[in-house]
């Protein structure tokens, strides 16, 4: 251990791993402190990465130079692209992962990063000198000095596990809670709150009857998360299964409601709205006679199964009895019961866009401490905090992504501008520019930025340049090449598309419903040859060309809107702005803007309760 570090990262979950890896890759000396070296990058809940909007975040992390995409690929047992029946703005990659392999690969990546040191201990407090962070204190009495600190404590801060009427301290099943930090931060003036999350039982796969379930295979031609050549698509995949609860299951669960911490008052904090417990589901959706259960293997070699959709904190005997009423689970053996957990978080309106706290210079928060839920949301915050901690040490300009640049930008802006009183989860609907923020173009959007700040290498940038150049070449060929009715019509009619009466350019046909780029290439041997040659240079050129041409009008319209809105992002608000002295501002605006201290007019416009007239007042005052 060094006498002093550039960056100390507290916690080695998804946020902590990304933070430590990024800061060290950029050249900072980093100490990663974790209570248990054997649980680095533990997948505390489901053994999966990505999904709706979350998959876009993993792609963005990879494009910037983070590790989650590569680790997900190396530990994947199944790959699926979700929402393929919808437009490309909704397409979301998702992997099922080998839980043990995921943690192992992350630890190996961190150990190969020579800028990262490790220390197994509990961080119990912070060292502050003249309002600036100076290091941390640990449970065994060690004090470590540093220029910045990133707290990524997950669900461990004063964590309480609920299982029926039983309560016990813990940050995760089998692991103790972390104490001291919350109390320290409250003394410093931070506002804190409590949140709740939960997890389902794990069962023995050998005790299940899969013949009574629907099989769910991976994609026939699987892709992957990482844009780099470090990983390859899966050659073989592990199947998942789907089954359903039924009225009997619901009645058996209701028998334990009087002992449920969800209903007897033991749990007082808000849980994740979009990932409710099974008891919450049957209570809120009483008219539904069944709920979907995803039966997810935990890895290539283990028999352990994750019962996705059955998150619960009911007594273990109630869980077991109800679960055995589900088709395929009649003889199920439980490895460990589901449980709920309450933990401390800090409302993220106390942060800057860099994820640095407003109260303590050099102190950053990332992950569930900010009120988010999900591995992907945590990982991207860790990446951004790691980058900004390094840049602060180097006295470089802050690194901030806007809402029109990345889902990461949407997430951070939502958190610090609007705050959250329940676990925040990312959805495509949260991004107003989701046609621009697709999973297929995260590399085009963000790899040049990652390269400019020093996180991605020259090979990654060259690959993006090849993709961009090839896409433009193929687009030009399709815009230039014409096709006659005799050639096009047999293909168009076969696809139930109206025939053409005269020669048209190939690109004009690609915008039609049911017509894809393979149909267009079949109309011209010349362009097909060009496409085949370009595909040898980059595998995504043909698909990227199709998306850009097919949705050209929508993309251009959204880019125009983004440019107009970004003008407001460029109007800075002075740090010493005294909103109380602006007589024309509403009382609500004075109160909220004084508390949040937005840095731009754009951010101020997104604060709840701020009206267009309030923004007009600010613009007039600023001389705009």
């Amino acid at each position: 251990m060094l006498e002093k570090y550039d960056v100390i990262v507290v916690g080695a979950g998804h946020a902590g791993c990304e933070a430590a890896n990024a800061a060290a890759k950029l050249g900072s000396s980093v100490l990663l402190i974790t209570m248990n070296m054997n649980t680095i990058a533990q997948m505390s809940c489901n053994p999966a990465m990505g999904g709706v909007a979350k998959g876009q975040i993993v792609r963005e992390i990879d494009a910037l130079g983070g590790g989650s995409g590569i680790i997900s690929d190396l530990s994947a047992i199944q790959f699926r692209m979700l929402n393929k029946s919808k437009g490309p703005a909704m397409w979301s990659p998702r992997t099922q992962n080998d839980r043990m392999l995921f943690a192992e690969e992350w630890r190996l990546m961190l150990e190969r990063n020579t800028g990262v040191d490790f220390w197994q201990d509990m961080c119990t407090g912070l060292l502050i000198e003249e309002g600036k962070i100076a290091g941390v204190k640990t449970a065994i009495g060690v004090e470590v000095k540093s220029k910045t600190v990133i707290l990524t404590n997950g669900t461990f801060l004063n964590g309480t596990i609920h299982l029926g009427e039983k309560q016990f301290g813990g940050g995760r099943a089998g692991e103790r809670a972390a104490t001291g930090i919350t109390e320290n931060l409250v003394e410093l003036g931070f506002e804190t709150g409590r949140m709740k999350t939960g997890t389902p039982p794990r069962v023995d796969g050998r005790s299940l009857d899969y013949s009574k379930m629907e099989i769910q295979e991976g994609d026939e031609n699987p892709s992957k998360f990482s844009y780099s050549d470090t990983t390859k698509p899966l050659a073989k995949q592990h199947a998942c299964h789907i089954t359903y609860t039924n009225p009997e299951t619901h009645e058996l669960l209701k028998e334990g409601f009087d002992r449920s911490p969800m209903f007897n008052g033991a749990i007082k904090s808000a849980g994740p709205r979009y990932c409710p417990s099974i008891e919450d589901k049957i209570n809120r959706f009483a008219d539904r006679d069944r709920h979907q259960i995803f039966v997810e293997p935990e890895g290539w070699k283990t028999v352990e199964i994750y019962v996705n959709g059955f998150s619960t904190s009911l007594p273990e005997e109630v869980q077991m009895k109800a679960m055995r009423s589900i088709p395929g689970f009649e003889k199920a053996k439980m490895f460990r019961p589901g449980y709920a957990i309450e933990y401390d978080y800090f409302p993220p309106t106390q942060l800057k866009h860099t994820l640095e706290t407003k109260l303590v210079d050099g102190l950053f928060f990332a992950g569930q401490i900010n009120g988010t839920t999900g591995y992907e949301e945590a990982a991207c915050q860790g990446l951004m905090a790691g980058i900004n901690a390094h840049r602060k040490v180097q006295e470089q300009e802050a690194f901030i992504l806007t809402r029109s640049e990345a889902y990461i930008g949407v997430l951070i802006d939502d958190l610090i501008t609007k705050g959250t009183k329940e676990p925040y989860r990312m959805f495509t609907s949260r991004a107003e520019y989701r046609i621009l923020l697709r999973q297929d173009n995260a590399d085009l959007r963000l790899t040049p930025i990652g390269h400019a700040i020093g996180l991605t290498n020259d090979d990654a940038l060259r690959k993006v340049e090849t993709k961009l150049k090839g896409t433009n070449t193929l687009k030009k060929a399709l815009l230039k090449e014409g096709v006659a009715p005799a050639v096009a019509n047999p293909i168009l009619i076969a696809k139930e598309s109206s025939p053409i009466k005269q020669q048209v350019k190939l690109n004009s046909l690609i915008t039609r419903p049911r017509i894809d780029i393979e149909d267009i290439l079949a109309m011209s041997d010349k362009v097909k040859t060009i496409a085949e040659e370009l595909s040898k240079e980059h595998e995504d050129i043909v698909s990227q060309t199709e998306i850009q041409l097919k949705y050209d009008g929508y993309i251009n319209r959204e880019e125009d809107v983004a440019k107009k809105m970004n003008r407001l992002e460029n109007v800075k608000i002075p740090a010493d702005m005294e909103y109380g002295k602006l007589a024309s501002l509403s009382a609500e605006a004075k109160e909220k803007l004084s508390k949040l201290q937005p840095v731009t007019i754009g951010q101020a416009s997104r604060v709840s309760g701020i009206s267009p007239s309030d923004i007009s007042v600010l613009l007039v005052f600023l001389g705009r």
Side-chain angles (χ1 to χ4, degrees):
M1 191 188 297
L2 302 177
E3 286 187 13
K4 187 172 184 177
Y5 287 87
D6 293 324
V7 182
I8 290 178
V9 179
V10 179
H14 297 260
C17 287
E18 286 287 4
N21 190 52
K25 275 179 72 175
L26 291 169
S28 283
S29 57
V30 177
L31 180 65
L32 179 59
I33 301 178
T34 174
M35 293 199 294
N36 188 346
M37 288 284 290
N38 295 321
T39 56
I40 288 174
Q42 176 85 287
M43 297 181 110
S44 305
C45 202
N46 60 321
M49 288 292 285
V52 177
K54 293 166 174 278
Q56 283 87 327
I57 289 176
V58 178
R59 281 266 164 99
E60 291 178 352
I61 291 170
D62 184 77
L64 283 168
S68 289
I70 290 171
I71 301 301
S72 298
D73 288 345
L74 292 174
S75 60
I77 63 175
Q78 188 191 91
F79 182 94
R80 294 179 68 220
M81 185 67 75
L82 307 183
N83 291 334
K84 281 290 283 185
S85 62
K86 300 179 181 178
M90 302 295 287
W91 297 353
S92 302
R94 184 181 190 270
T95 53
Q96 285 294 140
N97 293 85
D98 185 311
R99 185 188 299 277
M100 291 182 283
L101 190 56
F102 184 93
E104 180 185 14
E105 291 291 352
W106 247 124
R107 176 158 174 172
L108 291 174
M109 177 179 279
L110 290 168
E111 288 183 357
R112 286 193 293 267
N113 191 332
T114 55
V116 179
D117 287 348
F118 301 86
W119 184 252
Q120 180 172 293
D121 202 348
M122 182 198 293
C123 178
T124 55
L126 305 171
L127 302 175
I128 311 289
E129 294 176 2
E130 298 178 357
K132 294 184 178 181
I133 200 73
V136 300
K137 298 177 283 189
T138 75
I140 63 172
V142 173
E143 291 192 354
V144 191
K145 296 283 189 175
S146 67
K147 298 174 184 175
T148 59
V149 169
I150 305 173
L151 295 182
T152 70
N153 303 83
T155 60
F156 282 77
L157 292 179
N158 293 322
T160 301
I161 291 174
H162 296 267
L163 180 55
E165 294 171 299
K166 292 173 258 187
Q167 296 178 21
F168 42 94
R172 189 163 48 204
E175 297 180 64
R176 60 180 173 157
T179 56
I181 290 180
T182 295
E183 295 73 15
N184 192 178
L185 291 171
V186 169
E187 285 175 10
L188 291 167
F190 283 90
E191 177 190 347
T192 187
R194 296 281 279 177
M195 279 190 177
K196 169 257 174 188
T197 189
T199 193
R202 272 60 156 191
V203 301
D204 186 337
R206 297 169 299 183
S207 65
L208 303 183
D209 184 353
Y210 295 102
S211 67
K212 296 182 179 180
M213 308 179 196
E214 301 170 17
I215 193 165
Q216 188 180 52
E217 304 280 5
D219 287 350
E220 188 175 345
N221 297 303
S223 184
K224 60 193 186 82
F225 273 119
S226 182
Y227 291 100
S228 73
D229 296 324
T230 307
T231 62
K232 302 294 179 189
L234 286 167
K236 63 172 183 172
Q237 300 190 68
H238 203 315
C240 297
H241 290 80
I242 298 173
T243 185
Y244 299 87
T245 62
N246 53 62
E248 182 189 357
T249 313
H250 301 176
E251 289 305 315
L252 290 168
L253 289 166
K254 287 176 184 176
E255 289 177 9
F257 275 15
D258 61 327
R259 294 188 287 155
S260 166
M262 288 285 297
F263 302 125
N264 66 14
I267 292 177
K268 297 180 175 64
S269 50
R273 179 187 300 265
Y274 303 101
C275 190
S277 65
I278 188 66
E279 54 263 42
D280 198 20
K281 277 193 255 187
I282 64 174
N283 186 53
R284 281 165 52 190
F285 308 106
D287 57 320
R288 298 269 302 269
D289 59 4
R290 71 173 193 171
H291 293 283
Q292 202 167 42
I293 301 294
F294 294 94
V295 183
E296 301 179 347
E298 296 263 4
W300 288 115
K301 298 174 182 178
T302 182
V303 298
E304 189 170 357
I305 296 293
Y306 179 87
V307 190
N308 194 342
F310 204 80
S311 176
T312 179
S313 56
L314 287 165
E316 59 270 31
E317 68 272 14
V318 177
Q319 295 184 32
M320 189 77 255
K321 191 176 179 182
M323 194 164 56
R324 283 184 168 170
S325 69
I326 299 171
F329 280 74
E330 293 85 354
K331 298 180 180 179
K333 294 178 181 177
M334 191 185 288
F335 278 177
R336 45 191 165 133
Y339 61 88
I341 182 167
E342 285 188 293
Y343 55 93
D344 294 338
Y345 86 105
F346 290 82
T349 50
Q350 300 171 99
L351 303 176
K352 303 174 185 177
H353 269 94
T354 57
L355 298 181
E356 184 182 15
T357 65
K358 295 174 182 176
L359 277 175
V360 178
D361 189 69
L363 176 63
F364 294 77
F365 292 171
Q368 284 174 287
I369 191 172
N370 290 335
T372 59
T373 181
Y375 306 147
E376 303 81 3
E377 289 89 343
C380 72
Q381 290 175 70
L383 177 70
M384 296 299 285
I387 293 169
N388 278 309
H390 166 80
R391 293 177 73 83
K392 186 172 185 70
V393 169
Q394 298 300 316
E395 297 181 352
Q396 295 173 338
E397 186 181 354
F399 178 63
I400 296 167
L401 292 171
T402 66
R403 298 182 71 90
S404 59
E405 286 179 310
Y407 271 91
I408 298 172
V410 174
L411 181 145
I412 293 174
D413 186 66
D414 276 356
L415 290 175
I416 71 163
T417 301
K418 301 171 184 175
T420 185
K421 288 187 164 75
E422 61 184 49
Y424 177 101
R425 179 179 179 180
M426 179 53 73
F427 290 102
T428 50
S429 58
R430 295 192 190 272
E432 60 270 42
Y433 306 117
R434 53 187 171 275
I435 295 174
L436 303 181
L437 308 182
R438 307 183 309 276
Q439 58 83 33
D440 61 86
N441 71 349
D443 55 340
L444 301 181
R445 290 185 279 121
L446 299 176
T447 296
I449 297 174
H451 186 267
I453 64 173
L455 204 54
T456 59
N457 58 30
D458 292 342
D459 288 340
L461 186 62
R462 275 194 293 270
K463 196 168 184 186
V464 166
E465 290 169 346
T466 299
K467 179 177 174 179
L468 190 59
K469 182 181 177 182
T471 300
N472 289 334
T473 299
L474 186 53
K475 280 168 69 176
K476 286 176 183 175
L478 290 164
L479 289 163
K480 182 179 178 182
E481 193 70 16
V483 59
V487 176
N489 286 344
I491 296 171
L492 295 175
I493 292 167
K495 284 294 189 82
E496 300 178 358
S497 189
S498 300
I500 57 174
K501 295 177 181 178
Q502 60 188 31
Q503 180 167 306
V504 298
K505 299 299 182 185
L506 287 170
N507 73 292
S508 68
L509 298 175
I510 202 167
T511 57
R512 293 188 176 196
R514 296 185 294 278
I515 301 298
D516 58 37
I517 197 161
E518 295 303 326
D519 298 321
I520 303 300
L521 295 179
M523 298 176 188
S524 170
D525 290 339
K526 179 181 176 182
V527 179
K528 186 176 183 180
T529 301
I530 292 171
E532 288 171 349
E533 289 302 311
L534 290 171
S535 292
K536 293 175 185 176
E537 296 177 17
H538 197 295
E539 65 276 11
D540 292 343
I541 287 172
V542 173
S543 60
Q544 185 62 209
T545 301
E546 178 176 26
I547 290 169
Q548 289 190 18
L549 285 176
K550 209 169 187 66
Y551 299 93
D552 182 58
Y554 299 102
I555 292 169
N556 289 338
R557 193 181 311 157
E558 209 158 86
E559 284 177 342
D560 288 342
V561 174
K563 285 174 186 174
K564 290 175 184 175
M565 290 305 297
N566 281 340
R567 290 172 196 160
L568 295 180
E569 303 298 338
N570 294 327
V571 181
K572 303 291 184 184
I573 300 175
D576 57 354
M577 184 79 154
E578 295 185 63
Y579 297 98
K581 293 184 177 180
L582 299 182
S584 300
L585 273 185
S586 68
E588 184 177 4
K590 290 176 184 177
E591 179 189 338
K592 289 186 173 178
L593 295 175
S594 296
K595 181 179 179 181
L596 291 173
Q597 292 293 314
V599 294
T600 68
I601 291 291
Q603 187 191 351
S605 71
R606 292 187 293 275
V607 176
S608 64
I610 304 302
S611 68
S613 61
D614 291 323
I615 297 301
S616 296
V617 170
L618 291 176
L619 286 170
V620 169
F621 179 80
L622 295 172
R624 303 298 287 263

